[in-house]
């Protein structure tokens, strides 16, 4: 009996020794997640405070919902929300279409070396920082020395455009730049899904006389659906967030463009750096986070209702 009682403990120690290396491997990631994602959540209280730097966060007076009232009463609340949501919807739709087309096209390349070369060139913009991308954009759009105004437009007989003062073109410019930079990353994800599709489906389709277009339409695209849905749910959670580098660096923070280029993230940064209004910045950040969380729950519930296997939780 004594031996039987000690056996489970011994097995438990052996089991712990087996899994301990895996826990140690996960530990750095968990520590990073805690420090980077959870500890900053303490700053939520700033949104409900009237910050007094001499008193600190704990000593500052509570302001209740005053920061939120001021935020939504301002004319900026609607424009920054509209810009953030509309741009993210356009980014997802256009980016998904381009990424899927690129993934399918690369999958059709039979030469492995050529395929790898194309993947490198398409992914390269994603590895660039927004600072580098902003300078590339400036090289094209500069009024004084830009390629478009000084080379292309004169050759076509067109008048130069003051790009950083004219807000008309910037929705298209931002969508193009974002797609050019990020489509490569999404393409890799879709390409890996396509590579994972069993070749038996395509061989059976070819035997039945299916053309390449029909193979893509009835095999590739339907089997990519779970991947698209997963990325859709993740994108919905980011609808109220924007890429700060895109909207701040690429536009060079030009004031005349604010109507079409200022998003919630840019607004929060400006409230902190220019106005030192920590309460307003905190209120905008909390508003952003809560809306994003609610949208994730709604999107996941809709997906779970119609295709439970593709839901995140």
């Amino acid at each position: 009996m004594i031996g039987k009682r000690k056996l489970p403990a011994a097995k438990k120690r052996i089991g712990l020794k087996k899994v301990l290396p895996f826990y140690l491997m996960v530990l750095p990631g968990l520590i990073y997640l805690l420090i980077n994602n959870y500890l900053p959540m303490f700053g939520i209280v700033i949104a409900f405070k009237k910050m007094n730097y001499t008193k600190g966060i704990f000593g500052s007076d509570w302001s209740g919902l005053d920061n939120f009232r001021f935020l939504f009463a301002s004319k900026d609340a609607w424009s920054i929300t509209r810009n953030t949501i509309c741009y993210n919807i356009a980014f997802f739709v256009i980016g998904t279409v381009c990424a899927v087309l690129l993934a399918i096209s690369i999958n059709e390349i039979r030469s492995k070396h050529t395929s790898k070369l194309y993947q490198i060139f398409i992914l390269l913009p994603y590895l660039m920082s927004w600072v580098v991308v902003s300078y590339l954009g400036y090289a094209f759009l500069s009024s004084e020395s830009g390629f478009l105004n000084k080379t292309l437009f004169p050759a076509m007989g067109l008048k130069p455009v003051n790009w950083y003062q004219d807000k008309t073109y910037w929705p298209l410019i931002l969508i193009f730049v974002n797609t050019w930079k990020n489509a490569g990353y999404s393409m890799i994800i879709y390409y890996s899904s396509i590579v994972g599709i069993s070749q038996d489906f395509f061989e059976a389709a070819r035997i039945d006389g299916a053309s390449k277009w029909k193979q893509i339409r009835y095999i590739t695209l339907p089997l990519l659906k779970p991947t698209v849905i997963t990325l859709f749910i993740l994108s919905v959670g980011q609808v109220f967030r924007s890429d700060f580098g895109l909207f701040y660096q690429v536009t060079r923070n030009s004031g005349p463009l604010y109507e079409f280029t200022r998003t919630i993230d840019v607004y929060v940064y400006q409230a902190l750096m220019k106005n030192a209004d920590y309460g307003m910045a905190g209120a905008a950040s909390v508003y952003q986070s809560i809306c994003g969380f609610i949208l994730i729950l709604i999107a996941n519930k809709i997906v779970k209702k119609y295709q439970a296997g593709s839901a995140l939780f």
Side-chain angles (χ1 to χ4, degrees):
M1 293 296 293
I2 296 176
K4 289 182 179 180
R5 288 178 182 177
K6 289 183 178 181
L7 185 60
K11 285 185 176 181
K12 190 173 182 181
R13 285 194 297 271
I14 294 173
L16 183 60
K17 289 181 179 179
K18 288 183 178 180
V19 300
L20 184 60
F22 298 102
Y23 284 119
L24 292 177
M25 290 173 61
V26 173
L27 187 60
L30 291 176
I31 293 174
Y32 171 80
L33 190 67
L34 176 66
I35 296 174
N36 189 69
N37 292 58
Y38 286 94
L39 288 183
M41 291 178 67
F42 164 75
I44 290 176
V45 299
I46 297 176
F48 305 94
K49 291 270 191 173
K50 185 177 180 181
M51 280 297 297
N52 186 325
Y53 305 108
T54 59
K55 296 181 180 179
I57 296 177
F58 291 106
S60 298
D61 298 328
W62 290 96
S63 62
L65 299 176
D66 289 346
N67 290 320
F68 292 91
R69 293 192 190 98
F70 187 77
L71 171 65
F72 294 116
S74 67
K75 63 180 181 180
D76 297 323
W78 160 246
S79 65
I80 62 176
T81 302
R82 177 203 63 198
N83 291 340
T84 306
I85 294 175
C86 291
Y87 277 122
N88 278 314
I89 292 174
F91 291 163
F92 176 77
V93 174
I94 297 174
T96 299
V97 172
C98 292
V100 170
L101 290 176
L102 287 171
I104 292 174
S105 300
I106 289 179
N107 186 60
E108 296 302 319
I109 299 175
R110 292 294 169 249
S111 173
K112 291 184 178 181
H113 296 292
T114 306
S115 176
K116 295 293 183 184
L117 187 64
Y118 276 112
Q119 291 179 51
I120 291 171
F121 281 119
I122 295 172
L123 187 61
L124 186 61
Y126 179 77
L127 303 177
M128 296 182 183
S129 71
W130 279 115
V131 176
V132 175
V133 174
S134 70
Y135 279 108
L136 289 175
Y138 186 74
F140 278 88
L141 303 178
S142 172
S143 301
E144 296 79 17
S145 58
F147 173 77
L148 295 181
N149 283 347
K150 294 301 178 181
T151 304
L152 185 61
F153 285 1
M156 299 175 62
L158 300 176
K159 294 181 179 180
V161 177
N162 194 348
W163 297 100
Y164 292 99
Q165 300 295 320
D166 191 343
K167 61 188 177 184
T168 308
Y169 306 97
W170 276 93
L172 294 176
I173 293 173
L174 291 172
I175 292 172
F176 172 79
V177 172
N178 182 80
T179 304
W180 171 77
K181 188 177 189 300
N182 294 315
Y185 176 77
S186 301
M187 179 271 296
I188 294 297
I189 297 175
Y190 291 121
Y191 178 68
S192 63
S193 298
I194 293 174
V195 171
I197 298 174
S198 175
Q199 292 299 312
D200 295 340
F201 295 114
F202 298 102
E203 291 177 7
R206 283 193 292 269
I207 292 172
D208 291 338
S211 63
K212 181 61 66 177
W213 163 244
K214 287 186 177 180
Q215 293 177 37
I216 294 172
R217 181 180 178 184
Y218 294 107
I219 299 176
T220 305
L221 293 179
L223 292 177
L224 278 180
K225 190 176 179 181
T227 306
V228 174
I229 291 175
T230 301
L231 294 181
F232 165 73
I233 297 175
L234 296 175
S235 297
V236 166
Q238 301 296 323
V239 161
F240 274 83
R241 297 188 180 277
S242 60
D243 199 320
F244 178 79
L246 172 64
F247 291 96
Y248 187 84
Q249 296 285 354
V250 176
T251 63
R252 305 185 74 84
N253 195 30
S254 178
L257 308 180
Y258 279 169
E259 183 181 353
F260 290 158
T261 63
R262 186 159 64 172
T263 59
I264 297 177
D265 295 86
V266 176
Y267 181 83
V268 170
Y269 177 81
Q270 291 172 342
L272 287 172
M273 301 303 293
K274 291 187 176 181
N275 305 325
D277 193 341
Y278 288 86
M280 177 66 68
S285 183
V286 171
Y287 161 65
Q288 182 185 48
S289 301
I290 291 175
C291 290
F293 177 70
I294 293 172
L295 284 175
I296 286 180
L297 295 180
I298 294 173
N300 188 77
K301 187 172 183 180
I302 294 173
V303 171
K304 192 173 183 178
K305 182 178 180 181
Y306 294 100
Q307 193 170 354
S310 299
L312 290 180
F313 50 87

